[in-house]
Amino acid sequence: MTDTTDPEAFYDEYGEREWDRLERDFFHRLEWEGTVEYLDRYLPESGHVLDVGGAAGRYTVWLAEQGYDVTLVDLSGEQLDIAREQVGERGLGDRVTVEKGDVRDLAFDADEFDATLCLGGPVSHVVDEAERETAVAELRRVTRPGGPVFVSVMGLLSAVVNTVDHTGRERFDGSAADYPILPQLVDTGDYTGELCAEHGVEPVMADCHFFRADELESLLESGGLAVETLAALEGVASTRRDEFDGLGDDRRRVVREVNDALREDRSVVDLSSHMLAVARVP
């Protein structure tokens, strides 16, 4: 039986759903739109960009279409195959290199990239604290001085609030089954197969460390990066998730506008399903 709590195995099995995820619905598009906004704002005008943990290549394709040269690395062979297919279909092969790689041990020279992306949660899937520090050191090492490093992770408060909100509601019986793990999740931030087994809960995702905003900032700064801003991606929408597509365009527009206005509010960042740090190599 495949151990789908292992990130590599999980994303191999997840397949095409990872490519589709960022356009699946209004809620998931908020992550995409917020991230692209900050990429537009902070990326250099041109250069070679590393996309670490880029999975099926959503951001890699976007970067290549903007004229960047891109190297995509990921643990999952299945995701890399999908990325190659998407890149090939768009005729972007001359701009994109796709290869297997691990954020904790990047096979590149120091200062090789003009900017580095680590988006959607690759650092969250590094559960061991010392290995997370190694991962950040690697992101810094391969990025040239002055280059931006973009890191987004999964937020702890959002995971806890949504599980509490779903607990006891018939509609959410499957996701609410996670509630016995909540005290330990709050204490450590770690969601693992071992924790689920201890409480008789069926794992629904790969092993993961969920972050608080202060923790993310501290991790990056201790790794030698200068954090310029933290941003909420799903932000104020994080406690509602899948119910937005039933709303009219005018109401979704208001949610988007409010989310944009509060994107860098520290409380909203801390509550967001994904939070993005924009940092720079000094």
Side-chain angles (χ1 to χ4, degrees), residues 19-275:
W19 172 262
D20 296 335
R21 183 177 68 85
L22 291 172
E23 65 174 19
R24 188 167 70 203
D25 52 31
F26 175 85
F27 174 79
H28 288 86
R29 285 193 296 274
L30 291 174
E31 180 186 350
W32 167 263
E33 292 167 2
T35 301
V36 167
E37 175 187 332
Y38 282 87
L39 295 178
D40 262 337
R41 190 184 306 177
Y42 287 96
L43 279 169
E45 290 186 3
S46 61
H48 190 182
V49 179
L50 176 63
D51 186 5
V52 181
R58 274 280 178 192
Y59 292 107
T60 286
V61 165
W62 180 84
L63 288 162
E65 289 175 339
Q66 309 310 304
Y68 295 95
D69 295 319
V70 191
T71 296
L72 164 65
V73 299
D74 198 88
L75 283 172
S76 166
E78 177 66 23
Q79 293 300 319
L80 294 175
D81 286 343
I82 295 168
R84 292 186 185 99
E85 181 180 349
Q86 296 293 341
V87 167
E89 286 180 358
R90 290 161 176 78
L92 299 170
D94 58 337
R95 289 198 172 275
V96 177
T97 301
V98 177
E99 59 188 72
K100 190 154 185 159
D102 188 323
V103 66
R104 297 164 293 186
D105 186 19
L106 296 170
F108 305 107
D109 293 335
D111 307 339
E112 186 166 340
F113 297 95
D114 298 293
T116 298
L117 281 55
C118 190
L119 300 173
V123 173
S124 279
H125 286 305
V126 181
V127 174
D128 181 83
E129 183 177 1
E131 292 184 358
R132 287 197 296 275
E133 293 171 356
T134 298
V136 172
E138 282 290 270
L139 296 175
R140 182 191 189 282
R141 181 184 65 80
V142 300
T143 310
R144 66 167 177 80
V149 177
F150 304 84
V151 180
S152 61
V153 297
M154 303 175 203
L156 177 61
L157 291 184
S158 174
V160 171
V161 168
N162 275 284
T163 303
V164 170
D165 182 56
H166 293 174
T167 298
R169 297 189 181 189
E170 182 177 351
R171 179 182 169 199
F172 298 113
D173 270 351
S175 56
D178 283 346
Y179 79 92
I181 73 171
L182 283 179
Q184 284 174 262
L185 181 62
V186 168
D187 185 46
T188 67
D190 295 340
Y191 179 98
T192 65
E194 289 83 357
L195 176 63
C196 291
E198 180 183 340
H199 292 278
V201 170
E202 187 69 25
V204 297
M205 65 181 299
D207 288 356
C208 181
H209 179 76
F210 290 91
F211 280 81
R212 298 295 302 272
D214 288 350
E215 180 188 8
L216 175 59
E217 185 172 53
S218 176
L219 173 66
L220 298 177
E221 289 179 344
S222 67
L225 293 170
V227 177
E228 298 195 356
T229 190
L230 292 180
L233 296 178
E234 301 91 347
V236 296
S238 294
T239 59
R240 185 160 181 157
R241 291 178 177 261
D242 61 343
E243 300 175 359
F244 286 103
D245 287 333
L247 300 179
D249 289 344
D250 55 339
R251 295 189 177 186
R252 290 198 298 270
R253 184 171 58 251
V254 169
V255 171
R256 230 186 222 107
E257 183 178 340
V258 171
N259 202 45
D260 289 345
L262 293 172
R263 195 175 294 286
E264 295 182 13
D265 182 288
R266 190 72 168 215
S267 298
V268 178
V269 172
D270 214 15
L271 188 62
S272 188
S273 294
H274 288 85
M275 60 186 78

